[in-house]
Amino acid sequence: TEGNNKAARGALVVLEGLDRSGKSSQCSRLVSYLEGQGLSAELWRFPDRTTDVGQMISAYLTNASQLDDHTIHLLFSANRWEKRSLMEEKLKSGITLIVDRYSYSGVAFSSAKGLDIEWCKAPEIGLLAPDLVAYLDISPDKAAERGGYGDERYEKLEFQKKVAEHYKVLHDASWKVVDAWQPIEDVEKQLQEIVLACVTECQKGKSLSS
Ligand code: T5A
Ligand code: NA
């Protein structure tokens, strides 16, 4: 919103995709790459399981607790809200945040369970808007082949297929879609280009929005 912000700010970069699409691998590679370019960057992830809210989410995902679908949806959102001001501070101080999942995961996974999509979006309003959403595109069948799913609640092929459909509904023209079935280094290379362009744009003074 501030037009003549002098200090270069960092970029808010979000990676989205199905479980096993390769987000975590690529997020850490991106942070190393940006640091290698002399840029400040940090790796973030949602859910952030380290907070009190995050521990409730983690218990739910590992089936150690049961929660109503609406309740867990709001906890995922609350977990982003509790980090909002720190994220803004970091971005304003020039640090690029590479974020492993964000609001789109929140909406895609909960609406895939049958919750109303507009209801799912509502608690996300006012969170920081990403400068870039990179979607790691992989078919649910291929993702399932990768090392197999673990025991977490959503790691089931039938459910991942529904999530893929709901990501398609959320997808808009601003998203960068990367074929995540390529070798890891090829995905990495494509992401490096896209992300570096975004970071450069933000350094030129593109303002941060909600
Ligand atoms: N959720 C999350 C919600 O419901 N609401 C929300 O608001 C949010 C934020 C969290 C779960 O919670 C849901 C979504 C999730 O179900 P998580 O902790 O983010 O889960 O875990 P996942 O996303 O499931 O993490 P995964 O580890 O399964 O997937 P990643 O991070 O996409 O994949 P990654 O990098 O760990 O790679 C998986 C495997 O594939 C290999 C890797 O070496 C690894 O073995 N791999 C490749 N192999 C071949 N070629 C490539 N290009 C490869 N890239 C990676
Ligand atoms: Na992950």
Side-chain angles (χ1 to χ4, degrees), residues 19-25 49 76 80 101 106 109 182:
D19 292 27
R20 300 292 186 274
S21 56
K23 299 174 301 300
S24 298
S25 310
R49 303 190 195 211
F76 274 116
R80 287 182 278 280
R101 294 193 184 278
F109 280 74
Q182 303 174 89

Side-chain angles (χ1 to χ4, degrees), residues 53 69-79 110 119 123:
V53 172
D69 290 342
H70 300 81
T71 308
I72 183 63
H73 180 78
L74 294 172
L75 289 177
F76 274 116
S77 187
N79 189 227
S110 292
W119 186 88

Side-chain angles (χ1 to χ4, degrees), residues 141-193:
D141 298 284
K142 284 178 172 166
E145 286 171 22
R146 278 197 182 152
Y149 290 133
D151 298 326
E152 288 212 334
R153 191 178 285 265
Y154 298 143
E155 296 179 341
K156 299 190 178 70
L157 182 56
E158 285 316 305
F159 185 65
Q160 294 288 321
K161 285 182 177 169
K162 286 189 187 153
V163 173
E165 290 309 310
H166 287 265
Y167 264 126
K168 275 186 197 148
V169 175
L170 293 178
H171 179 158
D172 71 44
S174 70
W175 286 26
K176 304 285 184 192
V177 178
V178 175
D179 176 3
W181 188 240
Q182 303 174 89
I184 203 158
E185 293 77 16
D186 295 359
V187 178
E188 181 181 11
K189 230 173 162 6
Q190 285 182 21
L191 285 171
Q192 287 176 351
E193 274 179 36

